[in-house]
Amino acid sequence: MFQPVSDADFGRYLTLQRPDQLRLMNNTAQTLPVKAFGNVSQVFEQLESILLGKRDQLELAMACMLAKGHLLIEDVPGTGKTTLAQALGVSMGLDWKRVQFTSDLLPADVVGVSVFNSHSQSFDFRPGPVFTSVLLADEINRAPPKAQSALLEAMEERQVSVDGNTHPLPDEFFVIATQNPVEQLGAFPLPESQLDRFLVGLALGYPDPATERALMEDGDKRSLIANLEPVGSVQQLRQWSEEANAVHVSESLYDYILALLLRSRENGNGLSSRAGLNLVRLCKALAYINQRDHVLPDDVLRAFPAMAGHRLTGRVSTGQAAAMDILNTVPAP
Amino acid sequence: MIGLLGKSRLLRRRKPKQSAVKLDKRSLHALAALLLLSQLPHLLHLPIWVSALGVSIIGLKLLAHYSPSTAINFLLTPVSLIVIAVSGAILVRTHYGYFLGRDPCVAFLFILVSAKFAELKRPAESTLLLCLAGFLLMTQYFYSQSILSALITLPAVLALGNALAVIRDSTNAPKTKQNLRMVGKLLLQGAPLAALLFVVFPRLPGPLWSLPDDATAKTGLSDSMSPGSIGSLSLSDEVAFRVEFKGSPPPPDQRYWRGPVLNEFDGFNWSASTNPTRIQVSGSQRPNSLEYTVMMQPNHQRWLFALDYPTSVPMSDTVDEADSRIMARITADLQLKSSKPITQVVRYKQSSSLSDKFKPPIRPEPIQTQLAGQNPKTMAFAAQMRAQAGSDRQYIENLLRHFNQENFHYTLQPSLLGNSPVDEFLFNTREGFCEHYASAFVVLLRAAAIPARVVTGYLGGEMNGNYMIVRQSDAHAWAEAFIDGHWVRYDPTGAVAPARVDTSMAAALGDGEPIPMMARSGNGWLKRFKLSMDEMNHDWQRLVVNFNNESQNRIWQKLGFPKLQLWQITILVLIISAIWCFAVLGMPLRRASGKTPADRMWNRYVRTLGRLGIQRETTETPNQLINRAAESLPKSSLIKSVGDDLVKLRFHRPDSATNAALNASIKRGLTKLYMHSLMNRAG
């Protein structure tokens, strides 16, 4: 059975160190008043003006962020993956960086490197691009496993160890990784254990023809991003995240989520306990984004494929079908 | 030494603490309600002053709680309550004239329970009061064991459960309504077990306790008869006994139920011989024989009744002939006399030969021709008539003709008779009831030296369904004369009022007679209702109250079981009880694990929609289903509102205030929806 206490992020719980993190934990345990719904919708208005017709994916991406998880986007190039990451970071007032993963990428290129300082006769740590709030890891499956795992460790532990020194990452650390469909040449598919660290797997897909035509008329949106004004802030993001975590989940929904997990395990390669925890948090965040203080079965129905797809088969596109199969055999509450 | 000191200190410290805990309002109300309801069944049979005293003490206690005054408080001190209880006991003793018996003891208990309640100070004492109330409630079964008396205890049982729940923790006890619901539920859950134990639990053969005789309790015919005694009996429509016939019932003029036979006459009263001779009856079949089972109400006398003339001794009604007991001996004058008074309902098998004469095993005794008293006119009349007749038989016929042709009048309200009652009756008043005619007739026979006697019993009986009811109002007296070596039945009342024999007392009596309601002819709704009630009670008595170890054996036999040993029954009962307990206790557990009340209501909603043609898909979320149903069905606003309420109840953050309102509105909505689905199907 799930305990309500375990709503706290699994990974965070393990690496709990600092007093301010402790305070955060204590706060989330209490019931928070939900009051910031309005601001969330402002963010969406702005995001939607950049990514036309992608409301569903945007909500899931945002929910993933509020649930303190990481996002995996799988799609062919040119469908707006980078735009999404950029827009999300800018709109929320977070600094963001981008790493293009290539087959010759080294771990140091991601996490940073110690450089010998001849003045102080010591090694200085030069932080890599991972030290940011929103990190766009483009085409993650084109890098060799060693580089991949450097990033994935940082994602999980929210800290980086270089030459025996530990460097904490910012509190708000959100990775948006994109991967190409694996059929393409020169790709190193991510192993299941690492896929498990992404909360949400999304496929952006091609826009529908009308949207695509509008896209052409308006021209490239990237120039627009440069002019974007942040509508949110780090403080707001924290507040929303805490409030989202306080959303009510009824007993029957916990049962439903558990039943989904158990069903997924019947055929061997099933979902982990972390997946269950993640699903609960994602559902809460989705409910919060939709301005509710309680989770509905509809949230689970929406969150489950996004959470489970990439974990079940290693690929978002095929995994979501598998997730739907599971949903279709478990009666909704 | 130290231990003692410590102990005494402990005691000293505890004492004020105990008295500090006062009985609160809630417990007081619950206990008062319980007591009043337990007293309720007794109000029917207790003397008015006992009822008033008992109820008013409870009233006083409540009054003292609300508007305390020194006078009331003084009345409720332990000393004054003891005075009340003791004087109550003395009053009861003087009222009844004795103390150790059912009525005085119950009356005393009635007062005592009230006094205990008035004296109550601490909640801990109320447990004792609960036991006392339960005991008081049980004592009413000493009086009646009918369905009604079982039903009338039901409110008290509910109040008992409520009081238990309240005194356990009066500050946190749930509302009375919830308590009552819980007690009702507990009772229903326990009912199957009680029924099982009732059927299976080994019975003692015979009554569990036998009550001391109450002097006033004797009813029905007695062993003596004076003018007016049967007449007064006729005013009662109480049931004397009920009869089930094997075959068709006898015709009305053959329904002579033989009771006490009165041989001795002191000039005014007739009485039975104190020590009648017993005889053996052979079991051989006789002509006109009739078999039947009598279920007799307790009359606290020693007579059993049988149709004229009994040909067997009454045997208790059992499955197994071998288990049957002899209920009574048969005497030479064919009375059925039991060795003990009949103090509870008895059921016996009896056979009779329908005949108006029988050959006695012994010669008539001299006492059967003895006369007493001063009735010179009667003597002269008898001598003259006998001389005219020539033979005994002719003499009797002439006498009957005399009763028939002269101006004799059959009435329940005859004039009073003086010192020579037979003379006055035969030649002056000429009006009377059966005992007058039977008495005068036997005196006339004895005056002519013909052995004769008065037989009392019942004449008549009314069929009600498949059994016959014989009431006290059917009480009758007739004469028997010894003619040609036989005792022959003569009914002089029949000569005066033939309708009494052929139909009923009511038909024979004129207008304005005080005939009891149930004995009247006619078929008013009240009488019909009472008869059907009687039929129900008859079955109740037969199936429930009289359920004894013989009936138990009958059930085992019917089910094809051998007669089980005690240990086998114990194991059987334990197993079945355990299964039932698991089932009853497991139900809420299963509910707790799976379905909440909200989920059950949702399932009901889904089923109702299914009936309306919208089947839920497995993965369909509640909102999807609600929207789909609201789009495609009529009554969409109802479907939508009930569905939305259900979603709120099931998934929103729980909030007891709104949830209660939601629950109520959902239940209403579901009922409406269900009705709609029924109409839909019908339409």
Side-chain angles (χ1 to χ4, degrees), chain B residues 628-642:
Chain B
R628 187 161 67 94
E631 273 165 28
S632 55
L633 288 178
K635 292 252 177 200
S636 61
S637 63
L638 180 65
I639 289 170
K640 185 98 176 101
S641 71
V642 176

Side-chain angles (χ1 to χ4, degrees), chain A residues 130-191:
Chain A
V130 77
F131 287 86
T132 183
S133 287
V134 177
L135 176 72
L136 175 62
D138 235 350
E139 305 189 348
I140 190 170
N141 58 342
R142 284 185 63 191
K146 207 172 180 179
Q148 287 176 359
S149 61
L151 175 68
L152 293 163
E153 266 176 53
M155 283 164 60
E156 186 57 39
E157 270 140 50
R158 289 173 189 266
Q159 64 183 20
V160 167
S161 293
V162 178
D163 296 338
N165 292 320
T166 306
H167 306 277
L169 292 172
D171 260 358
E172 275 63 44
F173 177 61
F174 181 51
V175 174
I176 302 175
T178 69
Q179 75 171 0
N180 294 327
V182 187
E183 287 89 357
Q184 294 197 341
L185 290 173
F188 297 91
L190 292 170

Side-chain angles (χ1 to χ4, degrees), chain B residues 42-337:
Chain B
H42 288 288
L43 300 184
L44 294 172
H45 51 72
L46 283 179
I48 289 173
W49 68 268
V50 174
S51 312
L53 182 61
V55 173
S56 58
I57 293 175
I58 293 175
L60 270 183
K61 173 78 174 177
L62 289 176
L63 202 64
H65 193 266
Y66 284 109
S67 55
S69 70
T70 37
I72 295 175
N73 283 341
F74 174 74
L75 272 177
L76 295 180
T77 53
V79 176
S80 21
L81 283 170
I82 289 173
V83 171
I84 289 177
V86 170
S87 45
I90 295 169
L91 282 173
V92 165
R93 171 70 176 79
T94 31
H95 181 95
Y96 287 98
Y98 58 102
F99 195 81
L100 286 180
R102 177 190 66 177
D103 293 345
C105 281
V106 168
F108 184 55
L109 180 69
F110 190 88
I111 297 172
L112 216 56
V113 169
S114 299
K116 179 68 206 166
F117 173 68
E119 188 252 358
L120 208 62
K121 283 206 169 57
R122 287 180 285 118
E125 291 170 358
S126 38
T127 325
L128 175 68
L129 195 65
L130 289 183
C131 298
L132 281 176
F135 186 52
L136 182 66
L137 204 56
M138 297 298 289
T139 54
Q140 70 121 346
Y141 291 115
F142 291 158
Y143 295 88
S144 163
Q145 303 180 346
S146 64
I147 301 178
L148 210 63
S149 60
L151 285 181
I152 204 170
T153 50
L154 203 61
V157 171
L158 289 175
L160 185 71
N162 177 45
L164 261 175
V166 168
I167 64 164
R168 196 186 47 157
D169 185 2
S170 55
T171 44
N172 300 324
K175 282 180 189 154
T176 308
K177 203 171 148 192
Q178 285 172 320
N179 272 343
L180 292 181
R181 193 175 295 168
M182 178 191 70
V183 176
K185 210 163 134 187
L186 285 176
L187 282 181
L188 287 180
Q189 285 172 344
L193 272 191
L196 173 79
L197 287 174
F198 176 81
V199 173
V200 172
F201 202 76
R203 300 286 172 131
L204 295 171
L208 197 54
W209 59 75
S210 57
L211 288 168
D213 275 355
D214 277 290
T216 51
K218 288 186 182 175
T219 52
L221 293 167
S222 70
D223 56 358
S224 70
M225 182 187 85
S226 54
S229 62
I230 291 183
S232 65
L233 205 54
S234 295
L235 298 178
S236 154
D237 54 11
E238 242 177 78
V239 173
F241 50 88
R242 299 180 175 84
V243 193
E244 285 163 9
F245 288 97
K246 203 173 181 181
S248 58
D253 63 345
Q254 297 279 310
R255 294 175 187 168
Y256 280 90
W257 299 94
R258 192 179 183 86
V261 176
L262 311 178
N263 284 316
E264 294 175 22
F265 184 54
D266 65 358
F268 201 78
N269 288 325
W270 288 92
S271 53
S273 312
T274 42
N275 205 2
T277 323
R278 285 180 184 169
I279 56 161
Q280 297 285 329
V281 281
S282 61
S284 64
Q285 277 291 323
R286 303 189 184 210
N288 253 343
S289 177
L290 191 67
E291 283 180 43
Y292 49 92
T293 308
V294 179
M295 193 144 99
M296 191 172 137
Q297 296 298 116
N299 60 358
H300 301 274
Q301 311 261 12
R302 290 169 54 190
W303 282 278
L304 271 58
F305 294 90
L307 279 172
D308 248 356
Y309 295 100
T311 54
S312 67
V313 286
M315 302 296 282
S316 62
D317 184 26
T318 54
V319 139
D320 214 341
E321 292 292 324
D323 290 345
S324 192
R325 282 179 306 121
I326 293 175
M327 301 286 294
R329 298 278 169 195
I330 196 157
T331 65
D333 42 16
L334 298 188
Q335 300 179 67
L336 305 177
K337 273 200 101 172

Side-chain angles (χ1 to χ4, degrees), chain A residues 10 46 51 73 116 125-126 167 171 182 200-201 207 231 241-242 258 263 287 325:
Chain A
F10 196 63
Q46 181 154 332
L51 282 117
I73 303 176
F116 187 74
F125 179 62
R126 193 166 293 171
H167 306 277
D171 260 358
V182 187
V200 171
V231 283
S241 186
E242 281 178 27
L258 183 65
R263 178 58 51 87
D325 286 345

Side-chain angles (χ1 to χ4, degrees), chain B residues 424-596:
Chain B
E424 282 172 44
F425 168 69
L426 280 178
F427 305 106
N428 291 339
T429 64
R430 292 196 161 186
E431 55 179 23
F433 201 57
C434 55
E435 67 260 40
H436 298 91
Y437 292 99
S439 170
F441 190 70
V442 172
V443 168
L444 283 171
L445 293 185
R446 288 191 179 182
I450 303 170
R453 60 196 179 193
V454 173
V455 182
T456 57
Y458 298 91
L459 169 59
E462 183 183 12
M463 289 307 289
N464 184 30
N466 57 354
Y467 67 99
M468 179 186 277
I469 304 176
V470 178
R471 299 177 186 281
Q472 296 298 353
S473 56
D474 293 321
H476 191 56
W478 59 93
E480 263 179 353
F482 190 74
I483 304 280
D484 302 338
H486 286 81
W487 282 103
V488 185
R489 180 176 69 217
Y490 292 102
D491 192 349
T493 313
V496 178
R500 170 70 186 94
V501 179
D502 296 337
T503 50
S504 69
M505 180 182 74
L509 285 168
D511 290 340
E513 297 278 353
I515 309 165
M517 200 266 290
M518 294 306 288
R520 279 178 220 164
S521 43
N523 211 7
W525 67 267
L526 190 58
K527 187 178 176 183
R528 273 204 312 267
F529 172 72
K530 278 198 139 187
L531 282 175
S532 55
M533 277 297 287
D534 190 273
E535 192 167 359
M536 207 157 79
N537 257 328
H538 175 71
D539 289 339
W540 169 262
Q541 188 79 34
R542 196 166 49 89
L543 298 173
V544 179
V545 179
N546 278 21
F547 189 87
N548 51 18
N549 63 333
E550 281 131 19
S551 330
Q552 228 165 21
N553 294 342
R554 204 172 309 181
I555 288 184
W556 291 128
Q557 274 187 357
K558 264 189 190 166
L559 293 176
F561 282 114
K563 197 173 170 183
L564 292 183
Q565 296 295 312
L566 183 60
W567 66 269
Q568 289 167 319
I569 292 175
T570 311
I571 289 176
L572 188 77
V573 167
L574 282 179
I575 290 173
I576 297 178
S577 309
I579 292 173
W580 176 248
C581 286
F582 274 116
V584 167
L585 294 177
M587 226 158 20
L589 278 181
R590 211 185 58 219
R591 277 183 192 169
S593 68
K595 299 260 177 283
T596 62

